[in-house]
Each structure stands twice: as structure tokens, then as C-alpha cells.
């Protein structure tokens, strides 16, 4: 009885079909290196759509001219127009070659750039990123659909394993070339491919699929983060940033910077202990201090708010100090100490602010109540025990409210 199981090569055909549904009616340019992956991608696409190809001649290998000639013959057999571009590479390494390659591709006419990265490439990329300590963005690997110079970047074979690609090539009697550098484990990717991958496959046969799945999870997390940041900015009345700036903002906000500050649309986004706050950048008005003589409310427009005072039994500032008329509202000058709890030692304001999680940039513009040079009350920290009301006597409880 004949097996109903589809051949491995069918994975290529199915993947290419799904990818083409995304780019109906667009001009497709295939990046053709001459390796089995790009040869298979070119063949599979050309069987269903009119496409063009581009080969970038780096000149890094003694066989580079032979590779370019091979690509010309392959495209001629498929009746696919080919552009060969020679580039000068600043340094003789893959990173510099990639920069030169993409720079050359940007000059060509197309709507969609199709690249032949496949499942093995994706798994290796994710593994390298994780080993380098990359964050979520790095660990998301390559995306099946992206942007390239304002145009579409498509990777139809990203979920297809190398075995299926080779099976397709053999079934269609395709020829390809092997880059001699692939045999050297001096390069990190080759080291993983030649040394690490075989060992992983013995213990974890589906390690490539697992890493690709993890990459998709990281990518979804990033998309959720993008959406959340856009919504947060909109709620603050700020314009949406460009995609590139959004990515950079997320990178900084999810980094390990203790005091991250990002300027955007006339405001500053600040990160402190995992919480993002927005400061609409305005000229900081000078504030020289004001006396408080028991008024129920003190407007402090220079500080962007007002102090309100309510009477309460057994809480707040003892009324004796209020009626004496020696209390004043001033800004912090440095070196102050406060003792909110009589059973605990007097401590510096800096330590108390840190313990309470008050961001550094807010500390300098908080209204503090003094009696002469002695600190009486601090927003969020309370009243110094020397000035606190005793027993059930009535006291004044200050409250700081930001109004603008």
C-alpha cells in the first residue's frame, strides 16, 4: 500500500505558496547567493510568479567569479532576469559583507526582497543571540515578514528545515554551490552548525523547532510591548513615534539603566524601578519659599500643585507650631534628616526617599515644611516626631496635590 505521507520537498512548496499570498501583484527580487537555500527559493518562486534575482559579488572568496557565473547560468535556465553587483567590503568578514550587500540591494528596483533564510539559520541565530546575552528583541531572531528600506522583506523558508530544502533540490535536479568557508568552525555560526547542532540533535531532535517557537514568543512579546507603549503615549497626549524610535525607546526602557530618560514630543519619559512616568518639559519656575500660617490651602503654581491641610485628632503637625507662625514651605537644600517614627533613628532624606521609591527627579521639586532650619514634614514620608501632635489632640495633616 502506497504511503500517503507527503514528501519533505512539499514543505518548500507549501511555505512559498503561503508567502506569495502576502505579496500579490508586487515585484519580487530574490537574493541569490548560489547556495542550495537561495537556489531552491528562486526555483520555487519562479514556478508560480515572475520574479527577478540579484547576486552580490563580494570578492571575498577566490571562487567569487565562479559563483557569479553559476548564478547567471541558473537564472538563464529559469528565464529569470539577474542583476550582478560587485561591491567593495570594508573588512574581510561576514558583518562587513552583509552591510555592503544590503547597501547594493537598496539601489535595485523591487517591491519585495525575498531572502532564503531557513529553519536552521533561525535556530542558529536565536542560539547565538541568547549566548551573547541578548534581550527579547535579539532573541526573537529573524521575522518572516519585515521591512527593508521602506519595502517588504520576505523570508518564505524560515520555518522549513534544511532537509526539506535539499530534498526539493534533488527532486527537481537542481544544482548549487558550496561556500568553502562553511567547512570552517572558526566562525561562530559554523561552530554551532558543525559542533553544537549535531550534539543537540542527539538529545533534543526538535531543538531547531523549539528555538524557532521561542523566537515567535519573543516576537509576540515585543509586539505587545510596542502596542502598550503606543497606547501609553497616546493616553499622555503624546504623538506616536516612528517605528525606529519606538524600537529604540523600548530598548532603553527595558534595559538596565537605573535612571533612564527619553525625550519625545516635548516631554521626557523617565524610568525608575520599573515604572515609567512622563514629565511634560516646562521651564522650571524659581521657588523661594512661602510662610504657612494655618491656611487650609496653599497654591504653589511654581511647583505645579497645591498643599491642602485638614484637621485631624492624633495626627499631623501639632497646632502649637502652626499658631507660632514659624513654619515655611521650601525646597530641599541637601543634608536634611527626618524622624517620622520616634522608635527609629533620624535618617537622611535621601535614604528615606529611596526606601519610599520616590524618583530622584521628583525629590528636588517637592514642597517641604520647615521650622527655621529644621525639617517638619515631607510629602509621602510624614511628620517629624518632634513636631507631631501628641495623644488625641488636634493636628494639621498636609497633603500635596499635583494640579498641572
Amino acid at each position: 500500500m502506497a504511503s500517503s505521507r507527503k514528501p519533505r520537498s512539499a514543505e518548500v512548496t507549501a511555505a512559498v505558496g503561503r508567502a506569495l499570498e502576502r505579496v500579490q501583484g508586487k515585484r519580487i527580487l530574490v537574493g541569490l547567493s548560489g547556495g542550495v537555500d537561495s537556489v531552491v527559493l528562486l526555483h520555487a518562486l519562479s514556478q508560480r510568479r515572475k520574479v527577478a534575482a540579484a547576486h552580490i559579488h563580494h570578492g571575498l572568496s577566490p571562487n567569487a567569479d565562479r559563483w557569479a557565473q553559476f548564478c547567471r547560468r541558473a537564472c538563464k535556465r529559469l528565464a529569470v532576469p539577474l542583476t550582478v553587483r560587485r561591491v567593495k567590503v570594508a573588512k574581510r568578514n561576514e558583518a562587513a559583507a552583509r552591510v555592503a550587500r544590503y547597501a547594493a540591494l537598496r539601489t535595485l528596483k523591487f517591491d519585495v526582497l525575498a531572502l532564503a533564510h531557513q529553519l536552521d539559520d533561525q535556530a542558529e541565530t536565536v542560539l547565538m543571540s541568547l549566548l551573547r546575552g541578548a534581550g527579547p528583541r535579539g532573541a526573537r531572531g529573524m521575522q518572516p515578514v519585515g521591512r527593508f528600506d521602506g519595502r517588504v522583506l520576505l523570508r518564505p523558508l524560515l520555518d522549513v528545515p534544511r532537509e526539506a530544502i535539499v530534498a526539493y533540490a534533488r527532486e527537481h535536479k537542481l544544482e548549487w554551490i558550496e561556500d568553502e568557508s562553511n567547512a570552517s568552525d572558526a566562525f561562530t555560526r559554523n561552530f554551532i552548525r558543525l559542533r553544537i547542532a549535531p550534539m543537540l540533535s542527539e538529545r533534543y531532535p526538535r531543538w531547531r523547532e523549539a528555538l524557532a517557537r521561542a523566537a515567535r514568543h519573543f516576537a509576540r512579546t515585543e509586539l505587545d510591548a510596542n502596542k502598550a507603549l503606543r497606547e501609553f503615549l497616546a493616553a499622555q497626549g503624546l504623538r506616536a513615534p516612528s517605528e525606529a524610535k519606538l524600537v529604540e525607546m523600548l530598548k532603553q526602557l527595558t534595559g538596565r539603566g537605573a535612571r533612564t530618560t527619553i525625550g519625545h514630543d516635548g516631554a521626557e519619559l523617565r524610568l525608575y524601578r520599573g515604572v515609567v512616568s512622563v514629565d511634560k518639559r516646562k521651564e522650571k519656575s524659581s521657588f523661594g519659599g512661602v510662610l504657612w500660617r494655618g491656611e487650609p490651602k496653599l497654591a504653589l503654581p511654581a511647583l505645579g500643585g497645591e498643599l491642602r491641610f485638614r484637621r485631624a485628632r492624633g495626627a499631623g503637625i501639632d497646632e502649637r507650631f502652626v499658631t507660632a507662625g514659624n513654619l515655611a514651605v521650601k525646597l530641599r537644600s541637601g543634608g536634611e534628616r527626618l524622624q517620622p517614627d520616634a522608635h527609629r533613628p533620624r535618617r537622611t532624606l535621601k535614604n528615606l526617599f529611596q526606601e519610599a521609591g520616590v524618583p530622584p527627579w521628583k525629590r528636588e521639586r517637592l514642597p517641604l515644611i520647615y521650622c527655621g532650619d529644621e525639617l517638619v514634614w515631607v510629602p509621602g514620608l510624614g511628620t517629624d516626631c518632634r513636631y507631631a501632635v501628641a495623644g488625641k489632640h488636634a493636628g494639621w495633616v498636609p497633603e500635596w496635590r499635583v494640579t498641572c
Side-chain angles (χ1 to χ4, degrees):
M1 181 177 177
S3 174
S4 60
R5 184 176 180 181
K6 292 182 179 180
R8 293 303 305 267
S9 60
E11 295 179 46
V12 171
T13 305
V16 166
R18 289 192 298 270
L20 285 175
E21 292 176 0
R22 299 172 177 261
V23 291
Q24 294 291 338
K26 296 184 181 293
R27 294 174 299 174
I28 299 175
L29 179 71
V30 181
L32 180 64
S33 68
V36 64
D37 301 331
S38 64
V39 167
V40 164
L41 178 61
L42 179 66
H43 183 274
L45 286 171
S46 66
Q47 302 307 296
R48 305 179 64 155
R49 287 276 296 276
K50 285 186 177 182
V51 298
H55 174 76
I56 308 302
H57 188 311
H58 302 95
L60 295 179
S61 168
N63 297 310
D65 289 337
R66 186 170 62 85
W67 296 346
Q69 192 57 38
F70 168 85
C71 290
R72 288 189 180 96
R73 292 196 303 270
C75 288
K76 186 176 181 179
R77 284 194 294 270
L78 294 172
V80 170
L82 172 70
T83 300
V84 176
R85 287 288 172 87
R86 288 177 176 266
V87 296
K88 290 185 178 180
V89 181
K91 295 181 181 179
R92 298 184 67 83
N93 59 48
E94 177 54 31
R98 187 184 307 111
V99 170
R101 180 164 64 249
Y102 286 156
L105 288 169
R106 286 189 180 93
T107 66
L108 303 180
K109 293 182 178 181
F110 59 87
D111 300 317
V112 179
L113 176 61
L115 300 180
H117 297 113
Q118 33 90 334
L119 180 63
D120 296 63
D121 299 321
Q122 176 76 312
E124 292 158 7
T125 297
V126 174
L127 185 55
M128 285 192 297
S129 296
L130 293 173
L131 291 173
R132 290 168 179 160
R137 181 167 180 79
R140 73 176 191 151
M142 296 175 282
Q143 299 305 297
V145 182
R147 303 296 295 175
F148 176 78
D149 195 38
R151 292 167 280 184
V152 177
L153 176 62
L154 196 64
R155 294 185 175 96
L157 304 180
L158 200 57
D159 289 329
V160 180
R162 181 178 175 83
E163 295 89 344
I165 291 171
V166 172
Y168 181 99
R170 289 173 176 164
E171 178 182 316
H172 293 275
K173 297 181 172 55
L174 303 178
E175 296 179 353
W176 66 89
I177 55 177
E178 293 286 352
D179 186 339
E180 69 277 359
S181 68
N182 289 339
S184 170
D185 62 9
F187 303 105
T188 302
R189 185 178 292 276
N190 287 354
F191 177 79
I192 291 176
R193 184 176 299 164
L194 300 173
R195 300 283 194 90
I196 306 300
M199 289 190 293
L200 285 174
S201 295
E202 285 184 12
R203 181 62 65 91
Y204 306 101
R206 297 187 63 80
W207 71 274
R208 296 171 302 178
E209 289 82 357
L211 283 179
R213 187 164 58 251
R216 290 192 291 273
H217 290 325
F218 282 119
R220 280 196 292 271
T221 299
E222 185 181 41
L223 284 174
D224 291 343
N226 286 354
K227 181 181 177 183
L229 182 54
R230 287 187 188 279
E231 291 176 349
F232 174 77
L233 295 174
Q236 301 296 323
L238 301 177
R239 290 179 297 181
S242 67
E243 188 66 28
K245 185 169 183 180
L246 186 75
V247 169
E248 182 58 28
M249 290 169 76
L250 278 172
K251 182 179 178 181
Q252 292 185 52
L253 291 173
T254 55
R256 297 184 179 182
R259 298 186 182 182
T260 299
T261 301
I262 304 169
H264 174 65
D265 195 23
E268 286 183 343
L269 275 70
R270 299 178 185 269
L271 177 69
Y272 183 67
R273 296 187 179 180
V275 177
V276 180
S277 63
V278 174
D279 180 17
K280 301 290 179 66
R281 290 183 286 190
K282 299 176 182 176
E283 288 294 327
K284 302 298 184 184
S285 302
S286 60
F287 180 72
V290 296
L291 293 176
W292 176 51
R293 304 183 188 276
E295 302 94 327
K297 183 168 66 174
L298 272 181
L300 304 174
L303 303 183
E306 62 184 23
L307 275 173
R308 294 188 178 184
F309 303 86
R310 61 180 176 85
R311 301 298 300 274
R313 288 193 173 277
I317 302 170
D318 194 309
E319 189 170 12
R320 292 181 296 121
F321 301 105
V322 179
T323 56
N326 296 324
L327 300 184
V329 179
K330 298 186 290 187
L331 295 178
R332 178 186 181 193
S333 59
E336 294 91 346
R337 289 176 173 269
L338 190 75
Q339 189 180 9
D341 186 345
H343 301 291
R344 299 187 65 185
R346 188 171 303 280
R347 299 169 63 195
T348 65
L349 225 89
K350 179 180 179 180
N351 288 340
L352 290 170
F353 276 144
Q354 288 176 338
E355 187 176 273
V358 179
W361 63 90
K362 288 186 177 181
R363 301 172 191 173
E364 310 308 319
R365 302 290 291 179
L366 285 175
L368 314 183
I369 298 179
Y370 289 81
C371 182
D373 293 329
E374 292 184 351
L375 192 55
V376 175
W377 174 85
V378 178
L381 301 182
T383 304
D384 189 282
C385 62
R386 294 176 298 177
Y387 293 89
V389 68
K392 294 185 178 180
H393 295 289
W396 290 87
V397 178
E399 180 186 356
W400 171 237
R401 292 189 180 184
V402 176
T403 56
C404 61

